[in-house]
Each structure stands twice: as structure tokens, then as C-alpha cells.
Amino acid sequence: MGVEEEFFLVDPRTGAPVPRAPQVLEAASALIGPQAQSEFYSCQVEVCTQPTASRVDLHDQLRALRDTAGSAARDAGCLLVGSGTAVVPPPEPVPVTDTPRYRRMARYYGAVVDGSLGIVCGCHVHIGTLDRPRALELANGLRPYLPALQALAVNSPFAGGMESGFASWRSVEFGRWPTAGAAPLLDPAGYERTADALVRSGILLDRRMIYWFARPSEHVPTLEIRVADVNADLDTTVLLALLIRGLCTALLAEPEAENGPPDIPLDRLQAAHRFAARYGPRGAALDPFTGETVPGPAPISALLRRAVPGLEATGDLAEVERLLDGLRRRGTGAEHQREVYRRTGSLRAVVDHLAATTA
């Protein structure tokens, strides 16, 4: 498994995003090389772990990467912040990162690229090594469980200085991009036909723009799960990675069902994801298997039950239960942001809390 975390760079006085990624990346890359990377906007940086089979190593890598990027940010006069959206709006639109591909995307998708509300930060988990057929097999099997994972990671209730009404407004903003959402059921031939058609038609500029919540990576031999908000709380990131690895391990250990993976309608899956984005893990949820409205914890319990054999195989069950219990007790990132705002009435205080937690 491996993890990619995207972070905002914000002004320590105003809490607003600032375009200082070039300075931060120059300093961070001198220490961690390509594990520090640019993102679409110049107020964002991404850090990427090395592949690992150890939960302890994953935790230690993530902590070290955050330390390095955070120190580089402070040296550049800004703070590293783990939030799915910018809590405080930038004083003016933030430019996209100056690369040919990003400039082309900005020209082609101008209505989505606003330099303000559209700036979002996610957390992506890679599982591998996997060839394309096995990655698609896993993506098909994961579909019903991804709304529950999304609900656990909600961390973007505020956007551009406003209360969104959603626990994950990032999911809504990111959903404006073509293909961002639940993946269709596809075999290898169907994937190739669909990917070629999306690029050939001009809907996407290239295959790297396939933004399904679970997709075969186009640059490494993995399955990439990209459904979660980035979180300031490191334990939430580790919990997501271990749950995904456990669920994939369980699915791989079972013979493929005679009728294949559950053929859940795409519109029902999208509705389940919208429930997760709106309410997180404590409100109402939509059961992807039945289409019925259920209590928010129910899909998470189903996810854990499904993952238990894999978590036992990887030796992570006790740790996942501990981390999940901690998340239930202390609340999600979205709940923390709202609690700080209720207590202080200050969005600046929310950003300060996020920066301190990220560090």
C-alpha cells in the first residue's frame, strides 16, 4: 500500500491559500526528492509514501513527510493545512501550477477552474502490485463499500468562508470534473474501450484524467482509491489505508462469484456517495445494496465485517478497531472544524486548528 496526501499552503495571518508551492517544493524536494510533488494549483503540495506492507512504516513515513513539508512551508512563510477545501477564500484567484498539462486543462475546463472554491485536496490510497485485470476486479468489488470509506474521511464543511451544509464539500466541488465519481463495472476490454472513447471524444484530455473513485493507476501498477478528503488527523489517514488494504485482501482471497461482483446501479452508488458527503458517518446513509435509507453507522459496520478476513490476514484487525473506535469517540474532521467554529466564531481559528493538527 501507499498513500498520497494533498495539502493547502495558507497565510499564517489570514488563513487564506497562498501560491507558494514552488518555494516549498524546492526546499522539500532537496530532502525527500520526488516524494514531494506539485498539484494542480500553486497553493497546494502533495507528499507520497513509498510502497510498504507495514502499518508502522506507513505511519512513520506519513509523519516524516508531513514534518518535512511543514518545515519547508514555515520557511516559506506559510502553513501546511490538511483540509478538503479552503476554509478561508483567497483574496484573488490562485493560479494553476505552471506546467503545459495543467495550463491546457485550465484552458479546456475553464468553468471548473476558478482558483477559489474549486481548489480541493484529497487523499489517495494505492494497493499493489496489481496488473490491469486484477486491479479492475478489485475496483468492481470495492464499489459498494467506498461510500462508507468516504463518510469516515469527511473533512470539508467550510468552503470559501461559507458553511456548505455538507460534511465533505470537496466531494461536490470535485464532482464537477468529468468522470469524477463512482466507477462503472468494467472488465479489461471494457476499460480500454471506455478510456479510449473518453479521450478520443475530447471529454478527457488524457487517461490520467480518469477520476473514478477506484481506478487502475496509469503510471504505477496499482489500484488507486481516490474517494477521501485529506485529513489533518494522521490516524484517520492510516485507518483508511488499512481498511482499504484489508478489504482488498479479503476480496482477493475469495474465488470470484459465479455471477461476478454486485451489479449495483451507478445512480444508486452516486446517491450513496452524496449521502456520505452530506452527512458523514453519523447521519443518514443510503445502503448501496438495497437502496434503502439506513443509519450512518450501518454501512461502516458492513464494511468492517467484509474486511475482517483480510484484516486478520494482514494482522491489522486490532489496530483498525482501535483507530475506528478513536474516530467514533473524537469525531470526524468535519465535526472538529464545526466544533472549533461553534466555540470561537472564527474561521481563522478553524484554520489554526487544522494547521496544528496537521503538524
Side-chain angles (χ1 to χ4, degrees), residues 56-357:
V56 175
D57 183 48
L58 181 74
H59 177 279
D60 291 349
Q61 284 196 59
L62 288 166
R63 181 172 180 173
L65 290 169
R66 288 180 177 211
D67 285 348
T68 300
S71 177
R74 289 190 296 274
D75 289 346
C78 53
L79 299 173
L80 192 75
V81 170
S83 178
T85 49
V87 176
V88 176
E92 56 188 34
V94 176
V96 301
T97 298
D98 190 18
T99 70
R101 181 171 181 266
Y102 287 156
R103 290 197 303 269
R104 186 175 173 225
M105 288 172 64
R107 289 195 303 270
Y108 200 85
Y109 303 98
V112 182
V113 182
D114 65 0
S116 181
L117 286 175
I119 310 174
V120 296
C121 288
C123 172
H124 307 155
V125 177
H126 287 260
I127 299 295
T129 301
L130 298 166
D131 59 22
R132 179 64 52 79
R134 188 55 63 89
L136 285 167
E137 178 187 334
L138 274 180
N140 290 338
L142 286 172
R143 293 167 85 238
Y145 303 100
L146 293 182
L149 287 162
Q150 178 186 6
L152 290 171
V154 291
N155 186 40
S156 49
F158 300 105
M162 298 178 291
E163 162 64 71
S164 71
F166 278 69
S168 173
W169 186 249
R170 168 195 162 273
S171 302
V172 179
E173 281 294 334
F174 189 61
R176 298 171 64 204
W177 286 91
T179 74
L185 279 174
L186 292 172
D187 60 15
Y191 178 86
E192 293 300 322
R193 287 193 303 270
T194 302
D196 285 346
L198 287 168
V199 175
R200 189 169 56 249
S201 67
I203 293 172
L204 304 181
L205 298 183
D206 55 42
R207 285 187 174 213
R208 291 166 61 192
M209 283 192 67
I210 295 175
Y211 292 145
W212 292 326
F213 290 151
R215 68 174 189 182
S217 173
E218 289 293 333
H219 67 283
V220 288
T222 66
L223 173 69
E224 183 180 6
I225 293 87
R226 41 189 302 119
V227 72
D229 290 358
V230 73
N231 268 260
D233 172 56
L234 184 57
D235 279 352
T236 301
T237 303
V238 175
L239 172 63
L240 287 170
L242 295 182
L243 274 171
I244 290 169
R245 202 251 302 254
L247 184 56
C248 289
T249 302
L251 292 170
L252 287 174
E254 298 173 0
E256 195 166 0
E258 186 175 327
N259 298 321
D263 188 7
I264 296 172
L266 200 56
D267 59 348
R268 188 192 297 168
L269 272 180
Q270 297 284 38
H273 282 292
R274 185 55 63 96
F275 267 76
R278 175 70 173 85
Y279 298 111
R282 298 192 199 273
L286 190 77
D287 186 324
F289 292 97
T290 67
E292 296 177 354
T293 303
V294 296
I300 295 167
S301 297
L303 162 67
L304 184 59
R305 286 194 303 271
R306 191 68 178 85
V308 160
L311 293 169
E312 289 177 335
T314 59
D316 294 331
L317 180 57
E319 180 67 1
V320 162
E321 290 176 334
R322 184 187 73 81
L323 292 172
L324 191 55
D325 181 63
L327 181 62
R328 288 174 178 140
R329 285 186 288 102
R330 70 179 177 271
T332 64
E335 289 170 326
H336 276 257
Q337 289 196 41
R338 283 172 166 150
E339 173 56 29
V340 172
Y341 186 73
R342 278 194 297 268
R343 191 172 66 248
T344 66
S346 167
L347 291 175
R348 270 285 317 283
V350 175
V351 177
D352 290 343
H353 163 79
L354 287 164
T357 306

